[in-house]
C-alpha cells in the first residue's frame, strides 16, 4: 500500500511541474498582453490529450492523474481566454 502512495506522490510532483510550466505563458498573455505565437491547433491537440489522460485517470482511479490534468486544463483555459481577449483588444485597436 505504501508503494502505491509513493507512485501517486511522483505523479503529483510531475503534475505540479506540468501546471507550473504554463505560468510563464499565462504571465505573458495576461500581464504583458502578448498573445502572438499561440497556435490554436496545438492547443486543441494538447487539450484533447489532457482530457483523455483525465478520463484514463478516472478509469484507473489515479488521484494524481485526475488532479494534475484538471489543474492543467484550467491553466490552458486561462491561456486560451487570455489569448482571445488580447487578440480581440488588438483587433479593436487596429480597426
Amino acid at each position: 500500500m505504501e508503494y502505491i502512495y509513493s507512485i501517486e506522490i511522483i505523479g503529483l510532483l510531475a503534475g505540479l511541474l506540468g501546471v507550473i510550466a504554463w505560468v510563464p505563458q499565462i504571465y505573458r498573455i495576461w500581464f504583458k498582453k502578448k498573445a502572438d505565437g499561440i497556435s490554436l491547433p496545438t492547443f486543441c491537440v494538447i487539450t484533447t490529450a489532457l482530457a483523455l489522460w483525465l478520463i484514463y485517470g478516472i478509469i484507473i482511479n489515479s488521484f494524481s492523474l485526475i488532479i494534475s490534468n484538471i489543474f492543467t486544463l484550467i491553466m490552458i483555459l486561462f491561456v486560451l481566454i487570455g489569448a482571445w481577449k488580447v487578440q480581440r483588444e488588438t483587433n479593436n485597436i487596429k480597426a
Side-chain angles (χ1 to χ4, degrees):
M1 192 66 140
E2 190 175 307
Y3 176 73
I4 293 172
Y5 290 125
S6 297
I7 291 172
E8 288 296 313
I9 289 172
I10 291 169
L12 285 170
L13 288 173
L16 178 64
L17 290 175
V19 170
I20 290 171
W22 290 99
V23 170
Q25 188 72 49
I26 289 172
Y27 176 79
R28 185 173 190 272
I29 291 170
W30 283 91
F31 295 99
K32 292 189 173 186
K33 304 291 185 196
K34 294 181 180 179
D36 53 315
I38 299 294
S39 169
L40 287 179
T42 300
F43 272 88
C44 288
V45 171
I46 291 170
T47 302
T48 302
L50 288 170
L52 290 171
W53 276 112
L54 175 59
I55 292 167
Y56 177 70
I58 292 168
I59 290 169
I60 67 168
N61 198 27
S62 171
F63 181 75
S64 61
L65 277 175
I66 294 168
I67 295 300
S68 299
N69 285 295
I70 286 173
F71 281 106
T72 305
L73 286 166
I74 290 169
M75 297 297 273
I76 288 176
L77 187 63
F78 277 122
V79 169
L80 291 175
I81 290 170
W84 176 74
K85 286 178 71 173
V86 168
Q87 289 173 358
R88 193 178 80 190
E89 290 170 5
T90 302
N91 288 338
N92 285 341
I93 293 170
K94 289 180 183 177

